[in-house]
Amino acid sequence: DSGVTQTPKHLITATGQRVTLRCSPRSGDLSVYWYQQSLDQGLQFLIQYYNGEERAKGNILERFSAQQFPDLHSELNLSSLELGDSALYFCASSPSAGPNQPQHFGDGTRLSIL
Amino acid sequence: AQSVTQLDSHVSVSEGTPVLLRCNYSSSYSPSLFWYVQHPNKGLQLLLKYTSAATLVKGINGFEAEFKKSETSFHLTKPSAHMSDAAEYFCVVSARNQFYFGTGTSLTVIP
């Protein structure tokens, strides 16, 4: 058990809809990362938050947004959903923000767009 | 720019024989390098990391990796494969707050 909790585990919705994925980091970790894993794109880094502030951005679409709250949990919002957004979305956390920090991953949220 | 290439998409070994999973990287900066393992329907678990200290890095479950700057490689090895090692393995390069994952190597262990 990594200590990172993601909810929900599965999400099924339709094109054009909006969803929110939630992540609770390990106790004491200040940094949260979001990743998308799909068969065609592999694992892609989306965005990182550190102590409530955006720290780094990867291949995150404009239709996607994230935030980290004062209690350090994070949410990833996906809007105007398309079939290609179907993927496994992972959250990870680490104690601080540096690039050499090992990350601890949750078990992911599987998003299916019908 | 940073990138990482895992040279084999699938590796198959017999139980008790050595494992070699190959990773080459490219980075304009001094990178941190990681190996993660992913079991089916699970998140990634850190095996080991290199962050400019010793070039031979020991990780969990008997895995180790050697950082070779001249070859820009960070291959993962294990002396003796176990059935529980069957999983997907990812090499990751990190620099300047960006994280790049390889496409993964699927390891099959034959009894």
Side-chain angles (χ1 to χ4, degrees):
Chain A
D1 181 14
S2 68
V4 178
T5 304
Q6 289 188 248
T7 57
K9 291 191 184 304
H10 302 276
L11 199 48
I12 301 174
T13 188
T15 55
Q17 295 299 304
R18 173 190 168 94
V19 298
T20 297
L21 312 183
R22 182 187 168 102
C23 170
S24 294
R26 281 192 330 161
S27 178
D29 284 358
L30 299 179
S31 202
V32 169
Y33 311 77
W34 285 98
Y35 294 89
Q36 180 193 58
Q37 185 178 34
S38 62
L39 283 175
D40 54 344
Q41 301 276 352
L43 254 169
Q44 292 204 77
F45 166 62
L46 296 178
I47 197 164
Q48 177 194 4
Y49 277 81
Y50 174 71
N51 205 19
E53 300 290 327
E54 183 183 302
R55 175 80 174 185
K57 242 178 184 177
N59 296 323
I60 189 166
L61 299 172
E62 286 192 10
R63 299 183 286 109
F64 296 0
S65 65
Q67 54 184 327
Q68 187 179 27
F69 294 87
D71 67 352
L72 301 177
H73 91 271
S74 178
E75 293 181 355
L76 179 67
N77 300 296
L78 314 177
S79 62
S80 303
L81 287 168
E82 302 175 359
L83 293 177
D85 297 329
S86 294
L88 196 50
Y89 290 85
F90 286 108
C91 166
S93 72
S94 65
S96 62
N100 63 353
Q101 291 288 305
Q103 298 172 29
H104 300 269
F105 282 75
D107 286 345
T109 293
R110 184 170 295 282
L111 176 63
S112 298
I113 312 299
L114 303 180
Chain B
Q2 282 67 239
S3 68
V4 57
T5 302
Q6 291 184 241
L7 299 168
D8 307 292
S9 58
H10 300 279
V11 169
S12 186
V13 301
S14 296
E15 190 176 16
T17 64
V19 176
L20 170 63
L21 305 183
R22 298 182 295 165
C23 172
N24 285 353
Y25 72 92
S26 171
S27 180
S28 306
Y29 309 98
S30 294
S32 295
L33 296 161
F34 306 83
W35 275 99
Y36 284 85
V37 61
Q38 185 180 27
H39 289 93
N41 300 313
K42 286 292 187 180
L44 281 71
Q45 180 187 16
L46 178 69
L47 283 177
L48 50 80
K49 69 171 183 176
Y50 166 79
T51 55
S52 76
T55 57
L56 183 61
V57 182
K58 293 190 184 299
I60 63 170
N61 301 335
F63 284 95
E64 62 181 40
E66 186 171 7
F67 174 72
K68 292 187 176 180
K69 187 175 181 179
S70 60
E71 299 176 11
T72 60
S73 69
F74 190 58
H75 301 335
L76 182 70
T77 61
K78 182 173 180 177
S80 176
H82 191 272
M83 294 300 295
S84 61
D85 295 329
E88 189 86 10
Y89 291 79
F90 292 93
C91 181
V92 183
V93 62
S94 171
R96 293 176 69 85
N97 293 325
Q98 293 292 316
F99 306 91
Y100 299 88
F101 285 71
T103 50
T105 298
S106 177
L107 176 65
T108 298
V109 182
I110 303 166

